[in-house]
Amino acid sequence: MSEIRALSYFVAQIDDVQKWQHYAENVLGMMTSRTSDGALYIKMDDRPFRMLVVEGAEDRYLASGWELAGKNAFDAMLRKLDAQGVEYSLADAAFCAQRGVNEAALLQDPAGNRHELTWGYLSDCEPFVSPQGVPRFLTGDMGLGHTVLPTPNFDECAAFYRDVLGFEISDIFNFRPVPDAPATRIHFLHCGNARHHSLAIAEYDVPSKCVHVMVEVDSMTEVGRAHDRRIAHQVPLSATLGQHLNDKMTSFYMKTPSGFDLEYGWGGLQVDWDQHTAFEFTKVSIWGHDFGAGQQEEQ
């Protein structure tokens, strides 16, 4: 099992963080606050933040923050990176203060996706109180949710995540728009927690540098309420309500202000990895999840 425990946070970029503040508070139902340098913390549980939004010219996903158990695990990961010739840099004190961690190692996968390996998160013991009355998001030792990253050089990236970072395959989807078309591979990967996948890698590129992130609430009612808020605030729909075949998540997809999608779901599978058998599935969802809906809205 990977030394990485969970997806601790992600970092997004946008030209005006106020757009994310409005989206987080009024659509996602999360709390926000500003950092000393004007960036935006988005809070969804008892940690100070799970999403960090910084200002920049290009709207995009910037980085995934991965949590290790402690100093020993962090140092062991650095030795592994050194042994395999993987380039990384250690973050300075100002960077670690903004991320709220003791130490961070910064590196990229072979496709250029940025990762921040950290240990020792900062806790202020402040409770989460949703401005929209969301009772809770499912986080804890499973992390904030999952992220799906573009990896057009798929084989190199799959080897990196397996052999360097220690992720393992939960299951596989080979997308074919027609039966005889070449497969576009998507691998769903787990790390040191029970969430079905904390990461997925997809064999194509996207301008936003993230396919989607997922957050999970504790009831179908909260998914429906979020869907109503999406409509009220005119947030573009990316995929209709549906239930996935592999992780059993019931969810819908919508656009974030930084251009990538966000899956808002309930009922995701939690796995005993000693009993799990990896498999290939042949359709994305048991029902629903029409991804053509987003294209129709853009027309």
mmCIF file of all heavy atoms in Angstrom, residues 53-70:
data_model
loop_
_atom_site.group_PDB
_atom_site.id
_atom_site.type_symbol
_atom_site.label_atom_id
_atom_site.label_comp_id
_atom_site.label_asym_id
_atom_site.label_seq_id
_atom_site.Cartn_x
_atom_site.Cartn_y
_atom_site.Cartn_z
ATOM 1 N N VAL A 53 -6.986 28.575 -3.617
ATOM 2 C CA VAL A 53 -7.121 29.238 -4.913
ATOM 3 C C VAL A 53 -6.224 30.468 -4.919
ATOM 4 O O VAL A 53 -6.318 31.318 -4.026
ATOM 5 C CB VAL A 53 -8.582 29.641 -5.189
ATOM 6 C CG1 VAL A 53 -8.699 30.256 -6.591
ATOM 7 C CG2 VAL A 53 -9.512 28.437 -5.063
ATOM 8 N N VAL A 54 -5.348 30.540 -5.911
ATOM 9 C CA VAL A 54 -4.415 31.658 -6.044
ATOM 10 C C VAL A 54 -4.726 32.418 -7.328
ATOM 11 O O VAL A 54 -5.303 31.865 -8.264
ATOM 12 C CB VAL A 54 -2.955 31.164 -6.046
ATOM 13 C CG1 VAL A 54 -2.627 30.452 -4.748
ATOM 14 C CG2 VAL A 54 -2.686 30.245 -7.240
ATOM 15 N N GLU A 55 -4.340 33.689 -7.361
ATOM 16 C CA GLU A 55 -4.588 34.502 -8.547
ATOM 17 C C GLU A 55 -3.488 34.302 -9.583
ATOM 18 O O GLU A 55 -2.315 34.174 -9.250
ATOM 19 C CB GLU A 55 -4.707 35.977 -8.176
ATOM 20 C CG GLU A 55 -6.007 36.300 -7.466
ATOM 21 C CD GLU A 55 -6.333 37.774 -7.473
ATOM 22 O OE1 GLU A 55 -5.481 38.583 -7.908
ATOM 23 O OE2 GLU A 55 -7.452 38.130 -7.039
ATOM 24 N N GLY A 56 -3.892 34.266 -10.851
ATOM 25 C CA GLY A 56 -2.963 34.141 -11.957
ATOM 26 C C GLY A 56 -3.698 34.366 -13.265
ATOM 27 O O GLY A 56 -4.934 34.325 -13.316
ATOM 28 N N ALA A 57 -2.951 34.588 -14.315
ATOM 29 C CA ALA A 57 -3.551 34.948 -15.600
ATOM 30 C C ALA A 57 -4.339 33.802 -16.218
ATOM 31 O O ALA A 57 -5.331 34.023 -16.916
ATOM 32 C CB ALA A 57 -2.464 35.409 -16.560
ATOM 33 N N GLU A 58 -3.914 32.573 -15.960
ATOM 34 C CA GLU A 58 -4.519 31.407 -16.604
ATOM 35 C C GLU A 58 -5.408 30.664 -15.611
ATOM 36 O O GLU A 58 -4.972 30.308 -14.521
ATOM 37 C CB GLU A 58 -3.414 30.473 -17.117
ATOM 38 C CG GLU A 58 -3.921 29.286 -17.917
ATOM 39 C CD GLU A 58 -2.794 28.384 -18.384
ATOM 40 O OE1 GLU A 58 -1.635 28.652 -18.017
ATOM 41 O OE2 GLU A 58 -3.077 27.408 -19.094
ATOM 42 N N ASP A 59 -6.668 30.439 -15.998
ATOM 43 C CA ASP A 59 -7.583 29.667 -15.162
ATOM 44 C C ASP A 59 -7.261 28.188 -15.329
ATOM 45 O O ASP A 59 -7.412 27.626 -16.426
ATOM 46 C CB ASP A 59 -9.036 29.928 -15.571
ATOM 47 C CG ASP A 59 -9.462 31.370 -15.350
ATOM 48 O OD1 ASP A 59 -8.711 32.097 -14.673
ATOM 49 O OD2 ASP A 59 -10.524 31.746 -15.857
ATOM 50 N N ARG A 60 -6.829 27.539 -14.220
ATOM 51 C CA ARG A 60 -6.416 26.141 -14.348
ATOM 52 C C ARG A 60 -6.221 25.500 -12.968
ATOM 53 O O ARG A 60 -6.212 26.185 -11.938
ATOM 54 C CB ARG A 60 -5.105 26.029 -15.125
ATOM 55 C CG ARG A 60 -3.969 26.860 -14.553
ATOM 56 C CD ARG A 60 -2.629 26.417 -15.097
ATOM 57 N NE ARG A 60 -2.313 25.054 -14.672
ATOM 58 C CZ ARG A 60 -1.183 24.422 -14.967
ATOM 59 N NH1 ARG A 60 -0.259 25.021 -15.702
ATOM 60 N NH2 ARG A 60 -0.950 23.207 -14.530
ATOM 61 N N TYR A 61 -6.059 24.225 -12.975
ATOM 62 C CA TYR A 61 -5.669 23.441 -11.808
ATOM 63 C C TYR A 61 -4.150 23.487 -11.724
ATOM 64 O O TYR A 61 -3.457 23.276 -12.715
ATOM 65 C CB TYR A 61 -6.152 22.019 -12.031
ATOM 66 C CG TYR A 61 -5.968 21.014 -10.916
ATOM 67 C CD1 TYR A 61 -7.014 20.742 -10.035
ATOM 68 C CD2 TYR A 61 -4.798 20.278 -10.786
ATOM 69 C CE1 TYR A 61 -6.881 19.767 -9.046
ATOM 70 C CE2 TYR A 61 -4.654 19.322 -9.806
ATOM 71 C CZ TYR A 61 -5.705 19.060 -8.940
ATOM 72 O OH TYR A 61 -5.568 18.087 -7.969
ATOM 73 N N LEU A 62 -3.618 23.747 -10.522
ATOM 74 C CA LEU A 62 -2.173 23.898 -10.380
ATOM 75 C C LEU A 62 -1.478 22.703 -9.755
ATOM 76 O O LEU A 62 -0.382 22.334 -10.172
ATOM 77 C CB LEU A 62 -1.847 25.140 -9.535
ATOM 78 C CG LEU A 62 -1.871 26.500 -10.209
ATOM 79 C CD1 LEU A 62 -1.382 27.560 -9.220
ATOM 80 C CD2 LEU A 62 -1.022 26.526 -11.463
ATOM 81 N N ALA A 63 -2.047 22.126 -8.695
ATOM 82 C CA ALA A 63 -1.300 21.105 -7.960
ATOM 83 C C ALA A 63 -2.221 20.254 -7.100
ATOM 84 O O ALA A 63 -3.293 20.703 -6.664
ATOM 85 C CB ALA A 63 -0.226 21.748 -7.078
ATOM 86 N N SER A 64 -1.749 19.036 -6.831
ATOM 87 C CA SER A 64 -2.418 18.110 -5.910
ATOM 88 C C SER A 64 -1.543 17.950 -4.672
ATOM 89 O O SER A 64 -0.338 17.705 -4.792
ATOM 90 C CB SER A 64 -2.613 16.741 -6.571
ATOM 91 O OG SER A 64 -3.281 16.858 -7.816
ATOM 92 N N GLY A 65 -2.141 18.095 -3.499
ATOM 93 C CA GLY A 65 -1.416 17.930 -2.247
ATOM 94 C C GLY A 65 -1.682 16.568 -1.645
ATOM 95 O O GLY A 65 -2.831 16.221 -1.367
ATOM 96 N N TRP A 66 -0.614 15.788 -1.458
ATOM 97 C CA TRP A 66 -0.737 14.412 -0.956
ATOM 98 C C TRP A 66 -0.114 14.305 0.430
ATOM 99 O O TRP A 66 1.010 14.738 0.637
ATOM 100 C CB TRP A 66 -0.062 13.431 -1.914
ATOM 101 C CG TRP A 66 -0.642 13.451 -3.286
ATOM 102 C CD1 TRP A 66 -0.136 14.071 -4.390
ATOM 103 C CD2 TRP A 66 -1.860 12.838 -3.710
ATOM 104 N NE1 TRP A 66 -0.951 13.881 -5.475
ATOM 105 C CE2 TRP A 66 -2.017 13.124 -5.088
ATOM 106 C CE3 TRP A 66 -2.842 12.067 -3.060
ATOM 107 C CZ2 TRP A 66 -3.108 12.667 -5.825
ATOM 108 C CZ3 TRP A 66 -3.922 11.613 -3.796
ATOM 109 C CH2 TRP A 66 -4.056 11.914 -5.156
ATOM 110 N N GLU A 67 -0.844 13.700 1.335
ATOM 111 C CA GLU A 67 -0.442 13.653 2.737
ATOM 112 C C GLU A 67 0.223 12.325 3.094
ATOM 113 O O GLU A 67 -0.304 11.259 2.761
ATOM 114 C CB GLU A 67 -1.695 13.846 3.584
ATOM 115 C CG GLU A 67 -1.485 13.952 5.066
ATOM 116 C CD GLU A 67 -2.772 14.368 5.726
ATOM 117 O OE1 GLU A 67 -2.996 15.591 5.860
ATOM 118 O OE2 GLU A 67 -3.581 13.489 6.082
ATOM 119 N N LEU A 68 1.361 12.409 3.761
ATOM 120 C CA LEU A 68 2.012 11.229 4.323
ATOM 121 C C LEU A 68 1.811 11.217 5.835
ATOM 122 O O LEU A 68 1.497 12.247 6.443
ATOM 123 C CB LEU A 68 3.495 11.203 3.964
ATOM 124 C CG LEU A 68 3.753 10.884 2.475
ATOM 125 C CD1 LEU A 68 3.898 12.163 1.684
ATOM 126 C CD2 LEU A 68 4.952 9.990 2.287
ATOM 127 N N ALA A 69 2.008 10.056 6.438
ATOM 128 C CA ALA A 69 1.633 9.880 7.839
ATOM 129 C C ALA A 69 2.459 10.724 8.792
ATOM 130 O O ALA A 69 1.948 11.197 9.811
ATOM 131 C CB ALA A 69 1.744 8.409 8.231
ATOM 132 N N GLY A 70 3.741 10.914 8.479
ATOM 133 C CA GLY A 70 4.590 11.649 9.396
ATOM 134 C C GLY A 70 5.983 11.837 8.846
ATOM 135 O O GLY A 70 6.261 11.560 7.672
#
